[in-house]
Amino acid sequence: MKHANHTPTRWTRADALKVNENDPTTTQPLVRPDFPVMSDTVFIWDTMPLRELDGTVVSVNGWSVIFTLTADRRPHDPQFINADGRYDIKRDWEDRHGHARICYWYSRTGKDWIFGGRVMAEGVSPTTREWAGTPILLNNAGDIDLYYTCVTPGATIAKVRGRVVTSDSGVELQGFSQVKSLFDADGTYYQTEAQNATWNFRDPSPFIDPVDGKLYMVFEGNVAGERGTHEVGPNELGLVPPGHEDVGGARYQVGCIGIAVAKDLSGDDWEILPPLVTAVGVNDQTERPHYVFQDGKYYLFTISHKFTYADGVTGPDGVYGFVGDHLFGPYTPMNASGLVLGNPPSQPFQTYSHCVMPNGLVTSFIDSVPTQGDDYRIGGTEAPTVRIVLKGDRSFVQEAYDYGYIPAMRDVVLNQ
């Protein structure tokens, strides 16, 4: 497979300086501290609605299905019991990534989710952690390809195939027993662990390009090169005002949105391509990238944290976006800065891992919400869904819905 080289779009420091954390049109509504919890036995965070390759969120035989990163709540584990004998949910929550597993939930209403359990049996995934990706419904036979991230040792983009079976009473997943490794970071376009011990390479999101009909995948990466060797030059700075030329240690922040193309629609053989968007000198994480195709435009969304911004620039935890007329760009940062939907300054950690769906609905999970004084309540559950409106290179928060409201855009009747 040969593809013409493209020039990545740079998310510049000048762009990031335009971030306005007090703009109500790009601020997520406040989450109340009395939020409901989906489960008393598990935490959930990154949520992956079942979708088709064009991005359409689907139900099967009237059942909506979501996949989530999940970890057991461990209220009786001695390591999370404080000296006073009480369960320390905060430490348990912070430890969740080390034992993350992908589970699924189903619902007749697009909310009120019923826990279905593990997608893969213990030992199927070749690494110790199952991190986020995308479940794709392939056909009306119920076949599903789950693209996800195998982590520790290393980080590998992988997929596993199974099928969904429904009944009047619920949903069952079958198969998901043979994991196929697809590719790792290459060290040429994307930083490897050897180049940076804290490298990022994860979150596959496959899609069919509506123009050429080929199967592609976007993912999170870091720009290749030894840690600390990247230059933050004029192209990475952009048109910064006087006094903003000093970038401090910004050379250590080298996030990017990567892309790969499949040999055919089977998705078994992939070629890594240069990044679509780079954030050298701006941010070190561009997590869970994904597309919305609307009005002939490519809306490319990603999520990022305040703490992963480089020296001299900042922005809220939330979803960022770029828009272009062609798959390979160039892209323009949404709302001039890139910020699409950020947490309010009064509750900077309330939600994260936003997923923008083609109908404008945005789902995320609750991380932590302030209560009294310096105290806060841990979430580990679905946040209220919000709707955004996309108009050219601008976006606007329109309204909020119920907790975990993820309705299907289309119902697929299975031939089973």
Side-chain angles (χ1 to χ4, degrees):
M1 293 180 288
K2 297 297 182 183
H3 292 265
N5 288 333
H6 57 274
T7 300
T9 294
R10 291 179 174 89
W11 186 18
T12 68
R13 291 178 65 85
D15 298 330
L17 286 171
K18 292 181 178 292
V19 170
N20 180 358
E21 298 187 51
N22 295 297
D23 181 350
T25 69
T26 56
T27 300
Q28 181 143 348
L30 288 169
V31 175
R32 295 172 41 166
D34 62 349
F35 56 82
V37 174
M38 288 170 58
S39 170
D40 292 325
T41 59
V42 297
F43 295 121
I44 68 101
W45 58 107
D46 294 9
T47 299
M48 302 159 263
L50 182 63
R51 59 173 57 202
E52 295 175 316
L53 282 168
D54 66 355
T56 301
V57 176
V58 294
S59 56
V60 287
N61 293 341
W63 290 102
S64 291
V65 183
I66 58 173
F67 293 54
T68 60
L69 292 191
T70 311
D72 290 337
R73 296 174 185 248
R74 297 173 289 181
H76 305 298
D77 190 320
Q79 67 177 315
F80 302 116
I81 304 300
N82 290 332
D84 60 5
R86 291 188 298 176
Y87 167 50
D88 191 336
I89 189 175
K90 296 173 183 176
R91 286 198 293 125
D92 194 5
W93 172 243
E94 290 302 315
D95 190 61
R96 70 192 187 277
H97 295 292
H99 57 114
R101 300 292 185 264
I102 299 176
C103 292
Y104 76 100
W105 308 69
Y106 54 93
S107 167
R108 283 289 195 193
T109 63
K111 55 182 183 178
D112 306 316
W113 297 98
I114 301 166
F115 186 57
R118 293 277 300 272
V119 175
M120 289 174 279
E122 186 66 30
V124 169
S125 190
T127 54
T128 59
R129 306 174 188 181
E130 301 165 14
W131 281 8
T134 308
I136 299 293
L137 182 67
L138 299 171
N139 49 45
N140 61 5
D143 294 322
I144 293 174
D145 268 350
L146 172 61
Y147 291 80
Y148 77 107
T149 316
C150 297
V151 182
T152 304
T156 299
I157 304 299
K159 74 170 182 173
V160 58
R161 179 166 294 184
R163 64 194 296 262
V164 57
V165 177
T166 70
S167 67
D168 290 341
S169 59
V171 171
E172 180 184 351
L173 296 186
Q174 299 177 352
F176 296 100
S177 59
Q178 297 291 327
V179 174
K180 179 178 178 59
S181 297
L182 300 178
F183 55 85
D184 306 320
D186 61 339
T188 299
Y189 296 135
Y190 303 102
Q191 200 170 53
T192 63
E193 186 176 16
Q195 294 172 332
N196 177 8
T198 57
W199 90 123
N200 298 299
F201 195 76
R202 55 180 180 262
D203 302 342
S205 179
F207 63 95
I208 293 286
D209 178 21
V211 173
D212 70 18
K214 294 179 181 179
L215 177 60
Y216 294 90
M217 176 198 300
V218 286
F219 52 87
E220 177 193 10
N222 291 137
V223 176
E226 296 293 330
R227 185 174 187 271
T229 64
H230 296 77
E231 294 185 4
V232 184
N235 290 328
E236 289 74 30
L237 280 172
L239 299 175
V240 296
H244 290 272
E245 298 87 356
D246 185 359
V247 301
R251 68 184 181 279
Y252 293 104
Q253 280 69 49
V254 293
C256 69
I257 298 175
I259 187 169
V261 61
K263 178 179 180 180
D264 54 42
L265 296 183
S266 71
D268 290 332
D269 187 10
W270 294 81
E271 177 190 356
I272 294 178
L273 303 177
L276 290 173
V277 176
T278 60
V280 174
V282 175
N283 204 306
D284 204 46
Q285 286 190 353
T286 49
E287 298 184 284
R288 294 198 69 193
H290 56 282
Y291 273 103
V292 168
F293 308 111
Q294 180 181 302
D295 302 327
K297 295 185 179 297
Y298 293 78
Y299 288 93
L300 176 57
F301 297 103
T302 186
I303 55 172
S304 200
H305 289 287
K306 179 183 286 286
F307 79 87
T308 60
Y309 268 94
D311 290 349
V313 289
T314 189
D317 284 21
V319 60
Y320 293 78
F322 306 85
V323 59
D325 294 323
H326 308 281
L327 174 60
F328 292 104
Y331 286 90
T332 299
M334 293 290 294
N335 304 309
S337 67
L339 178 62
V340 171
L341 188 65
N343 282 332
S346 63
Q347 298 189 172
F349 307 112
Q350 68 170 17
T351 60
Y352 193 60
S353 200
H354 303 73
C355 175
V356 184
M357 293 170 276
N359 54 8
L361 297 185
V362 185
T363 184
S364 59
F365 74 88
I366 299 175
D367 188 329
S368 60
V369 176
T371 51
Q372 294 181 340
D374 293 330
D375 202 6
Y376 56 92
R377 182 184 175 201
I378 292 297
T381 189
E382 296 286 350
T385 297
V386 301
R387 183 185 296 276
I388 62 173
V389 175
L390 305 175
K391 295 290 185 181
D393 62 358
R394 295 290 185 263
S395 67
F396 304 88
V397 177
Q398 188 178 55
E399 56 188 322
Y401 297 87
D402 205 351
Y403 296 88
Y405 179 53
I406 308 173
M409 299 168 59
R410 186 171 79 87
D411 185 50
V412 176
V413 178
L414 300 183
N415 296 328
Q416 294 182 341

